[in-house]
Amino acid sequence: MAGPKEKIAGVGSGRVGGGWAIVFARAGHAVSVFDASPGAAARALETIRGNVHDLASAGLLDEPPAAVLGRITVADDLATAVAGAAYVQESVLERVDVKRDVFARIDEVLGPEACVGSSSSGIPASAYTAHVRCRERCLVAHPINPPYLAAVVELVPAPWTAATTMARVRDLMERVGQAPVVLTREIEGFVLNRLQGVLLMEAWRLVEAGIATAAAVDRTIAQGLGLRWSFMGPFETIALN
């Protein structure tokens, strides 16, 4: 990804796709959004507009909302959205068949050096990129929703993802203000959802055993561990403790 302000394409304009558009536009990139559902991307712009103004009201923008919004456009077709893009963020429905079809369509119009990240929250890229010519430039780029407020993004390679792809996407994510977490290989649930899943299972056990109420468990996290975890993780915590 040669330049500091490359064009970015967003495929899928739901809450996650719209959130990604804000991330890239806020960092100065032109963003072209496409959604196969008629009128979906145009409707998403209204949500994006409201979210950007909310960020400005909270003092989380370094420039007027109009500047950020002016970088986000809606494309009438996939080819137009992807044309000239250095990076494509796919954020469609979490289904293997849907993603396989979308990646095949992206492959037909993708530039020779562009990378494609999937917002998949659990399905590994190997399940839907094996059939495309650009598979060495495909990976999972899983955010926390909304990505413009939560910076972590998990970068997960398929077995055929090139090391250069991982490095280039990591560099891009750092430049747009995200906090990339690079996994060495695919694993079910990635890292974030595996950690979240373990905590959730124990929370259910405590409530079902009558040890504490759901409200009490929530308070333990929100007013206790969550405050600590907002600035340091479990390894740093245990080392300092």
Side-chain angles (χ1 to χ4, degrees), residues 12-135:
S13 64
R15 287 184 299 170
V16 175
W20 273 121
I22 293 173
V23 168
F24 294 119
R26 182 176 59 184
H29 295 266
V31 183
S32 183
V33 179
F34 170 75
D35 197 299
S37 179
R43 291 191 297 271
L45 278 181
E46 294 304 312
T47 300
I48 290 170
R49 183 173 291 106
N51 290 335
V52 168
H53 280 282
D54 286 345
L55 288 172
S57 298
L60 297 176
L61 284 185
D62 295 329
E63 57 186 342
V68 175
L69 294 169
R71 299 186 189 109
I72 303 173
T73 57
V74 170
D76 293 330
D77 54 75
L78 181 62
T80 300
V82 173
Y87 178 72
V88 179
Q89 184 72 43
E90 170 270 307
S91 304
V92 300
L93 191 64
E94 190 84 351
R95 274 177 35 188
V96 171
D97 60 331
V98 173
K99 289 183 179 292
R100 280 181 59 85
D101 179 66
V102 167
F103 268 81
R105 295 175 184 274
I106 291 173
D107 192 39
E108 294 175 354
V109 295
L110 192 68
E113 297 184 359
C115 297
V116 188
S118 172
S119 296
S120 171
S121 61
I123 306 173
S126 59
Y128 50 85
T129 63
H131 61 303
V132 297
R133 293 167 298 177
C134 65
R135 68 181 194 167

Side-chain angles (χ1 to χ4, degrees), residues 182-203:
V182 179
L183 279 63
T184 60
R185 62 182 183 275
E186 294 180 334
I187 185 173
E188 184 180 357
F190 313 142
V191 170
L192 189 148
N193 281 330
R194 289 177 73 91
L195 292 172
Q196 183 172 241
V198 171
L199 178 62
L200 185 59
M201 285 189 291
E202 184 59 28

Side-chain angles (χ1 to χ4, degrees), residues 187-233:
I187 185 173
E188 184 180 357
F190 313 142
V191 170
L192 189 148
N193 281 330
R194 289 177 73 91
L195 292 172
Q196 183 172 241
V198 171
L199 178 62
L200 185 59
M201 285 189 291
E202 184 59 28
W204 277 116
R205 278 193 287 264
L206 290 169
V207 173
E208 289 173 349
I211 304 299
T213 65
V217 173
D218 277 351
R219 181 175 295 173
T220 301
I221 300 302
Q223 301 299 322
L225 289 175
L227 298 177
R228 177 185 293 165
W229 287 344
S230 68
F231 64 93
M232 62 180 175

